[in-house]
């Protein structure tokens, strides 16, 4: 389906657009200013003798000045080239615009004393594209520059008009939390976390609880084990706040606790809803948080005394 | 059968020390740093690359023995090994050398650490980008990384917070160590912080890295290399410079020792692996804490310096905060430590620069030479499997 705005735009393609005539003829003075500002020391732009040695009648303008002669200047309120096109885009929500590339052609040098005019038209409008900035259309406008009736330059200027992504603040970082690496000894823990369970490894022979888990019971050397679900309550045994280096997605000052679970083993996790008053000995309770699309983690919250 | 660590007592000595400059960007390869400091250490004792027949390095070292031998012009290496656990390896490589020399397997052993740690591979940056592998070490860090406990400072801070809580100490206890280190660095021309001492106010107002650790509680990150040449004490006596005899060397892994996160044993404020080293050192050397004149106490982060002083019996448990106050650990104090400026002040070369300073103390050539340096304690990285040495006069 072709959107109506796009039909309107396509009607503008090839239609003669805005015309402009330079306020003043090209001049040695403007050329000299330009060369000073850009830092172009080529003598054919500023030295008549040098220009003549290269076969010109007098100084010539750097070709890249092409666009400068007929620029409208900074007067507010004047219609801008392509104004109708811009209006259609804006109405359709394509309020973002970026220039993407510019190609110029120079059939000959422009000398001093030439009155340059330009005419602009819309050359093409692309179909809707998806870009990193949002969905939008690439448009190419073409300017033709003349001295009298003679074409002395053309410029194709390409822009992207896009719909800025919905007003969601651009995420400061796409960084995600490090994923856990697992071995056959530890994967049960992370599987439990996905199901909202805090599992503690338990020796099947002597009943010893252990965390972090391992393949053998350090008390009785049994390789047999299962897991019990912790109630999730515990006490802050120690804690830190991480400031530097800032490691996204973690916030500066991110609080991390070493919790002694009521079952007797200790475990590290981060603290959620933390105030500035974290203290060793505070009671905490585990919660399970889906921190991003494919990672759930146990986290602790301080219980009100 | 019982072990007899005293078998190594006084059998080997550090005959030569060598180092590159310490910087934040060496501008050359890690291999270049390695061969430069090794050549310098050989030159220090008047030996040649062809004399080396043993080599021991940290497992974190990026330079393979073969590359060093090839570049240095070494001949035949009959004994080579590596010690794991980061800076915990510092004195461990010396113990390995002692063992090889005592057993008669090798005669001239080079140990070294050379790294572009600051310009290439900053340890302080965190482990968030390490590959996830189904290996024991990779999964170990998974008990911490998803929750944001990612950096060496953060791992140590967890123990430090508990230390403050258990012993009612304040972070000024950490500050005394930083001030002493930087005071000594300020008068050591080889130190990065030469001429730049700090005050307790500077320490207390420095920004948080990981609460309760501030910037000035953390060692530097450095580029550089340090090497030692170790040989039999007998041979060392005939070499160019005065050797530092290895009275005792020890390594330790104790119940509950972990790689940076020893959070699961009864106490997290002591260092049983360092206590194990202390017991072995004292037994081997026939010495006690009162015999130690100076300490090079591993200072990647200030809090574990307190625990080490306690584990070596230099003060009672929980009292290190008082021990380090009042200039006691500064030059002229009761037990000066880190006369080179430590890793906070001189450079972070994973403890190897501290062993070199221990040798200078025995020789009497430290930039901050105390009146007496009969016996020098040198320790290695803490919070990990660790090691320690007692160096003595020949």
């Amino acid at each position: 389906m072709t959107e109506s705005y796009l039909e309107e735009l396509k009607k503008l393609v090839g239609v003669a657009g805005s015309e402009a005539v330079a306020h003043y003829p090209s001049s040695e003075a403007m050329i000299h200013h330009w060369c000073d500002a850009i830092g172009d020391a080529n003598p054919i732009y500023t030295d008549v003798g040098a220009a003549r040695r290269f076969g010109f009648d007098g100084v010539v303008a750097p070709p890249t000045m092409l666009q400068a002669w007929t620029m409208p200047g900074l007067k507010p309120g004047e219609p801008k080239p392509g104004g109708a096109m811009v209006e259609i885009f804006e109405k359709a929500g394509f309020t973002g615009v970026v220039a993407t590339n510019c190609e110029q052609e120079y059939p000959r040098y422009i000398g001093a004393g030439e009155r340059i005019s330009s005419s602009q038209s819309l050359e093409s409008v692309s179909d809707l594209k998806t870009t990193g900035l949002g969905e939008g259309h690439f448009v190419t406008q073409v300017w033709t520059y003349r001295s009298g009736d003679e074409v002395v330059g053309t410029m194709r200027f390409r822009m992207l008009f896009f719909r800025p992504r919905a007003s969601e603040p651009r995420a400061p970082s796409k960084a995600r939390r490090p994923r856990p690496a697992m071995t056959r000894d530890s994967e049960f823990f992370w599987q439990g976390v996905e199901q909202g369970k805090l599992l503690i490894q338990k020796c099947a022979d002597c009943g010893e609880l252990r965390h972090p888990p391992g393949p053998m019971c350090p008390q009785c050397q049994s390789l047999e084990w299962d897991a019990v679900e912790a109630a999730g309550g515990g006490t802050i045994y120690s804690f830190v706040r991480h400031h530097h280096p800032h490691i996204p997605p973690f916030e500066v000052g991110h609080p991390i606790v070493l919790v002694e679970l009521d079952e007797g083993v200790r475990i590290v996790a981060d603290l959620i809803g933390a105030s500035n008053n974290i203290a060793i000995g505070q009671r905490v309770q585990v919660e399970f948080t889906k921190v991003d699309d494919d990672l759930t983690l146990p986290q602790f919250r301080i219980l009100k005394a | 059968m019982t072990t007899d660590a005293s078998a190594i007592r006084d059998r080997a000595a550090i005959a030569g020390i060598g180092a590159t400059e310490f910087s934040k960007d060496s501008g050359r390869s890690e291999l270049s740093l390695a061969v430069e400091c090794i050549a310098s250490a050989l030159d220090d004792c008047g030996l040649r690359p062809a004399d080396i027949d043993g080599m021991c390095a940290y497992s974190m070292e990026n330079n393979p023995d073969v590359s060093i031998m090839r570049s240095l012009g070494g001949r035949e290496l009959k004994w080579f090994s590596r010690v794991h656990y980061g800076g915990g390896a510092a004195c461990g490589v010396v113990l390995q050398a002692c063992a090889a020399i005592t057993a008669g397997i090798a005669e001239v052993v080079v140990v070294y650490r050379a790294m572009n740690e600051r310009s290439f591979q900053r340890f302080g940056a965190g482990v968030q980008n390490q590959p996830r592998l189904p290996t024991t070490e990779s999964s170990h860090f998974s008990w911490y990384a998803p929750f944001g406990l990612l950096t060496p400072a953060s791992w140590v801070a967890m123990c430090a917070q508990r230390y403050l809580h258990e012993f009612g100490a304040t972070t000024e206890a950490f500050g005394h160590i930083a001030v002493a280190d930087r005071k000594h660095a300020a008068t050591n021309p080889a130190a990065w912080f030469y001429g730049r001492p700090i005050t307790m106010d500077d320490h207390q107002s420095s920004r948080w890295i990981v609460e309760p650790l501030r910037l000035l509680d953390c060692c530097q990150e450095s580029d550089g290399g340090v090497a030692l040449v170790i040989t039999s004490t007998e041979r060392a006596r005939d070499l160019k410079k005065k050797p530092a005899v290895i009275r005792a060397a020890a390594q330790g892994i104790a119940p509950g020792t972990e790689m940076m996160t020893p959070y699961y044993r009864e106490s997290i404020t002591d260092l049983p692996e360092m206590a194990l080293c202390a017991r072995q050192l004292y037994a081997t050397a026939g010495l006690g804490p009162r015999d130690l004149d100076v300490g090079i106490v591993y200072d990647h982060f200030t809090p574990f310096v307190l625990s080490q002083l306690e584990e070596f019996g230099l003060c009672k448990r929980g009292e290190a905060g008082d021990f380090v106050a009042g200039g006691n650990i500064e030059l002229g104090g009761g037990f000066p430590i880190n006369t080179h400026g430590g890793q906070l002040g001189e450079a972070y070369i994973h403890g190897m620069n501290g062993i070199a300073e221990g040798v200078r103390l025995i020789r009497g050539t430290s930039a901050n030479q105390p009146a007496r340096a009969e016996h020098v304690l040198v320790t290695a990285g803490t919070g990990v499997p660790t090691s320690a040495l007692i160096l003595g006069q020949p």
Side-chain angles (χ1 to χ4, degrees):
Chain A
M1 183 186 98
T2 307
E3 302 269 354
S4 60
Y5 74 86
L6 193 52
E7 281 173 19
E8 279 184 65
L9 283 168
K10 292 206 163 162
K11 281 181 198 157
L12 294 178
V13 173
V15 176
S18 61
E19 301 278 340
V21 179
H23 296 300
Y24 300 98
S26 58
S27 67
E28 288 94 337
M30 277 303 291
I31 294 170
H32 206 130
H33 278 309
W34 170 282
C35 290
D36 281 352
I38 299 292
D40 191 332
N42 188 333
I44 66 169
Y45 303 145
T46 50
D47 179 344
V48 177
R52 288 191 176 143
R53 277 199 297 284
F54 282 91
F56 299 106
D57 296 335
V59 295
V60 292
T64 48
M65 278 188 83
L66 182 66
Q67 206 183 346
W69 302 115
T70 60
M71 273 187 160
L74 292 173
K75 280 179 270 177
E78 281 204 355
K80 288 187 178 144
M85 169 190 75
V86 173
E87 204 171 298
I88 295 167
F89 271 128
E90 283 184 350
K91 273 189 187 160
F94 295 92
T95 52
V97 58
V98 287
T100 62
N101 46 318
C102 177
E103 292 166 22
Q104 296 184 342
E105 288 171 29
Y106 318 114
R108 71 160 171 88
Y109 279 95
I110 293 170
E114 297 191 55
R115 174 83 68 160
I116 306 299
S117 63
S118 66
S119 58
Q120 167 270 345
S121 66
L122 180 60
E123 188 175 67
S124 64
V125 180
S126 78
D127 291 333
L128 192 64
K129 305 283 186 188
T130 301
T131 77
L133 292 167
E135 56 179 14
H137 296 273
F138 289 95
V139 302
T140 304
Q141 295 180 86
V142 60
W143 273 261
T144 305
Y145 296 88
R146 290 186 174 83
S147 177
D149 290 334
E150 184 188 3
V151 174
V152 291
T154 57
M155 173 172 76
R156 281 185 173 71
F157 197 83
R158 200 156 189 244
M159 292 186 288
L160 170 69
F161 286 84
F162 62 96
R163 285 186 176 125
R165 294 227 178 85
S167 64
E168 57 178 323
R170 269 186 81 185
S173 162
K174 286 182 180 166
R176 302 197 308 164
R177 288 182 179 227
R179 318 278 103 177
M182 299 171 206
T183 69
R184 298 243 164 105
D185 303 327
S186 66
E187 62 192 4
F188 79 92
F189 176 88
W190 298 104
Q191 287 161 358
V193 166
E194 276 181 20
Q195 297 160 20
K197 294 176 182 174
L198 194 63
L199 297 179
I200 310 172
Q201 198 182 32
K202 182 184 182 186
C203 175
D205 284 318
C206 77
E208 173 89 356
L209 294 178
R210 53 189 200 255
H211 184 86
M216 179 177 280
C217 175
Q219 297 301 319
C220 73
Q221 286 70 48
S222 169
L223 286 167
E224 301 300 317
W225 56 268
D226 47 39
V228 293
E229 185 178 349
T235 305
I236 295 178
Y237 189 78
S238 193
F239 67 96
V240 303
R241 278 180 177 272
H242 185 104
H243 293 259
H244 183 84
H246 178 218
I247 302 173
F250 301 103
E251 302 276 323
V252 172
H254 183 66
I256 306 145
V257 285
L258 175 61
V259 171
E260 193 153 271
L261 294 176
D262 294 338
E263 288 80 3
V265 299
R266 293 188 201 134
I267 185 169
V268 167
D270 44 354
L271 197 61
I272 45 177
S275 68
N276 287 325
N277 302 314
I278 309 169
I280 287 172
Q282 282 172 325
R283 291 288 301 165
V284 290
Q285 178 65 37
V286 78
E287 291 180 13
F288 293 88
T289 309
K290 198 164 170 21
V291 295
D292 55 46
D293 286 348
D294 52 14
L295 183 63
T296 297
L297 290 176
Q299 298 181 313
F300 287 93
R301 189 183 292 279
I302 295 174
L303 295 175
K304 298 254 164 27
Chain B
M1 178 181 161
T2 56
T3 56
D4 182 11
S6 67
I8 64 162
R9 179 171 63 202
D10 298 344
R11 294 287 296 275
I14 302 173
I17 57 175
T20 66
E21 82 290 358
F22 304 129
S23 74
K24 301 298 176 189
D25 186 357
S26 73
R28 52 206 194 274
S29 70
E30 292 186 321
L31 183 58
S32 186
L33 296 175
V35 293
E36 286 173 45
C37 67
I38 293 170
S40 166
L42 289 166
D43 189 52
D44 185 56
C45 60
L47 291 174
R48 301 168 50 78
D51 295 317
I52 302 171
D53 61 357
M55 196 175 282
C56 185
Y58 302 49
S59 65
M60 278 184 83
E61 177 67 33
N62 292 324
N63 296 302
D65 305 322
V66 286
S67 304
I68 287 174
M69 288 294 280
R70 182 164 183 260
S71 181
L72 192 66
R75 297 275 297 158
E76 295 179 328
L77 213 53
K78 296 185 285 189
W79 183 85
F80 36 92
S81 72
R82 297 231 154 178
V83 180
H84 203 35
Y85 308 115
C91 300
V93 295
V94 176
L95 173 63
Q96 302 291 312
C98 286
I101 290 162
T102 304
I105 299 168
E107 199 180 349
V108 175
V109 181
V110 161
V111 303
Y112 66 96
R113 184 74 173 108
M115 56 185 182
N116 284 328
E117 190 276 341
R118 178 60 178 79
S119 65
F120 159 58
Q121 192 177 26
R122 297 182 70 168
F123 299 163
V127 297
Q128 62 277 12
N129 296 321
Q130 286 194 356
R132 287 183 308 125
L133 305 170
T135 63
T136 309
E137 281 203 340
S138 185
S139 68
H140 164 78
F141 285 108
S142 296
W143 302 115
Y144 316 103
F147 307 102
L149 202 71
L150 289 157
T151 62
S154 73
W155 301 323
V156 170
M158 194 67 88
C159 297
Q161 184 81 262
R162 184 77 196 184
Y163 186 97
L164 297 177
H165 170 81
E166 284 185 10
F167 301 115
T170 69
T171 58
E172 290 203 357
F174 307 157
H176 288 303
I177 295 156
V179 169
D181 272 5
R182 291 290 294 271
K183 180 182 178 182
H184 298 156
T187 49
N188 170 12
W192 176 259
F193 283 118
Y194 177 56
R196 286 181 282 175
I198 58 166
T199 64
M200 182 61 85
D201 279 349
D202 293 333
H203 173 270
Q204 290 288 306
S205 58
S206 67
R207 65 190 167 112
W208 290 122
I209 298 300
V210 183
E211 288 177 62
L213 298 190
R214 296 181 169 89
L215 175 66
L216 294 177
D217 289 309
C218 304
C219 68
Q220 299 176 61
E221 295 190 278
S222 305
D223 285 11
V226 176
L228 314 173
V229 177
I230 303 171
T231 187
S232 66
T233 303
E234 196 182 354
R235 183 165 181 190
R237 287 201 178 95
D238 298 331
L239 295 174
K240 207 162 109 185
K241 294 264 182 76
K242 179 181 176 182
V245 174
I246 300 161
R247 289 269 116 82
Q251 289 182 289
I253 287 180
T257 301
E258 298 239 349
M259 185 61 189
M260 295 304 299
T261 53
Y263 300 156
Y264 310 100
R265 52 197 178 196
E266 189 176 345
S267 168
I268 67 166
T269 57
D270 55 3
L271 295 167
E273 49 285 332
M274 194 59 92
L276 174 58
C277 290
R279 283 205 313 275
Q280 295 179 87
L281 291 188
Y282 289 147
T284 299
L287 298 170
R290 286 173 200 283
D291 300 309
L292 303 176
D293 304 306
V294 197
I296 304 298
V297 185
Y298 198 93
D299 55 343
H300 50 5
F301 302 100
T302 55
F304 275 146
V305 172
L306 300 173
S307 306
Q308 290 181 82
L309 294 168
E310 293 169 9
E311 295 295 9
F312 276 93
L314 290 152
C315 59
K316 287 186 183 154
R317 180 117 169 83
E319 293 183 1
D322 295 332
F323 184 85
V324 298
N328 192 44
I329 55 168
E330 296 175 12
L331 191 61
F335 187 72
I337 69 165
N338 302 346
T339 44
H340 57 323
Q343 300 192 94
L344 274 68
E346 187 183 57
Y348 174 72
I349 312 295
H350 244 163
M352 193 54 74
N353 53 322
I355 305 177
E357 172 68 3
V359 174
R360 283 189 293 268
L361 286 164
I362 294 296
R363 288 177 174 175
T365 60
S366 167
N368 296 299
Q369 186 67 33
R372 186 183 161 84
E374 219 23 51
H375 293 111
V376 177
L377 170 70
V378 186
T379 69
T382 45
V384 294
T386 191
S387 53
L389 295 172
I390 295 175
L391 300 177
Q393 297 292 333

